[in-house]
Amino acid sequence: FRGVPTRRTPGFDGFRISHNNEGYFRLFRLRQRSNREIHRFVPEYEFRYEGRTAGHGFDMYLPRDPKAPALQIKSLTPEFIRRLGDVFAAHPEYFSVNEAGRRSREMQLCLSNPATRQALLESLLRWIEMHGRGVYMVGSNDYHTGRYCFCADCVGKERQYGCAGGPLWDAVIWLCHELKRLGKDGVYVTSLAYRHQTQMCPGGVVFPDNFICDLAPVTWDRSPSETADETLPDGTLYNRMDNIRAWTKACPGGCSYWYYAEESRPEYNWGRQSRELRDIYDAGVRSVGMCGLEGGPEFKDMMHHLFFWTAFNPHGDARAEFKRMCVVKYGPAAEIVLAYADRMEDMRRRVVSRQP
């Protein structure tokens, strides 16, 4: 996860890429063999992905449904998980209580329940037994409500930690301490500080050094510094940059940023990407990952390169580098393509300037 060997000193010393991107880079090399200039960029970047489990969700440990999407990725799902079958049917008490007061397989785990935590730990230990040292994601399911779980104990964890993610963070801290107690050196737990559900850093908490926070606020068309402050239910203002800084201080084991880059949308252009990486660098983050780069439109190869170029040069001139890639890829048509990209960036900035 860290100590990535490169030919140059990167601005970010840790990189994390999803499984689909490794295939992309192999394809990139094949496609660009005839283009020496583009091919020359690729050896600059050497990556290693040591994450052992999927970003979403708990199904990789305690499957709520035998047909859950995560379990259909056979290469990621060990036989012992498939043999667990429908955990919800056997142990509904492991799962969240919804607003109606009923256990639901559509939400999260009820992490204030000691039995849930023990079952989660046992499953995690099975993963560690198979794969050894590494970073293990204990991440929420991709489901959003204003509350993680509506049972009284989970609501109490919210109050204790001052945020909706309280039940998760309390369980993660417990897991980290248990792994240390069991002598699992070289094993790290990571979890998503995700969107409106768990992205807020709990106040007054310092996480164990075998925890890595995976920040994933998913800001779509704007960077954290371009996002307006939000007024929380208690009347306080929530500033995304301040929240990122708080996470870097709360996590001595490390804080990674999970950049969501679905370039099929026109606003995901050179401007937003470079601005976001610069923002998180200035906030103290030194490890970065990416998601959403597996396919896509015309600028795909250029945006991939620009992502890694910016990771080495957080305060570099991203537009100048993008222009250089236009010249390499499009030759005489470079100015036309650059004018189009600039127009898209101008439109993005206009949208951002109109935010409430």
Side-chain angles (χ1 to χ4, degrees), residues 8-129:
R8 291 177 288 162
T9 301
F12 293 90
D13 63 9
F15 295 91
R16 180 179 170 199
I17 60 176
S18 59
H19 64 279
N20 44 36
N21 288 288
E22 294 181 1
Y24 165 79
F25 280 108
R26 288 194 292 271
L27 181 61
F28 183 90
R29 288 185 172 93
L30 291 175
R31 285 179 175 173
Q32 304 300 340
R33 276 180 178 171
S34 61
N35 190 326
R36 293 181 181 180
E37 179 67 11
I38 293 181
H39 185 65
R40 184 177 64 80
F41 294 136
V42 180
E44 296 283 351
Y45 314 120
E46 300 292 340
F47 302 104
R48 184 174 60 219
Y49 174 57
E50 295 181 358
R52 304 301 190 192
T53 47
H56 300 294
F58 293 132
D59 290 324
M60 302 304 294
Y61 301 98
L62 298 173
R64 55 196 159 140
D65 185 337
K67 297 181 180 180
L71 302 186
Q72 305 314 305
I73 307 175
K74 302 300 184 183
S75 62
L76 296 180
T77 308
E79 184 60 31
F80 87 89
I81 288 290
R82 286 195 285 271
R83 285 201 303 267
L84 287 175
D86 192 340
V87 176
F88 180 82
H91 294 282
E93 71 277 10
Y94 289 175
F95 295 83
S96 298
V97 174
N98 63 20
E99 288 185 88
R102 295 190 293 270
R103 299 286 174 178
S104 171
R105 70 165 78 233
E106 301 301 326
M107 292 175 63
Q108 308 289 345
L109 294 176
C110 180
L111 291 172
S112 64
N113 181 352
T116 306
R117 295 187 181 194
Q118 187 60 39
L120 181 60
L121 173 63
E122 290 172 3
S123 188
L124 174 58
L125 291 172
R126 292 289 299 276
W127 277 95
I128 296 169
E129 181 182 345

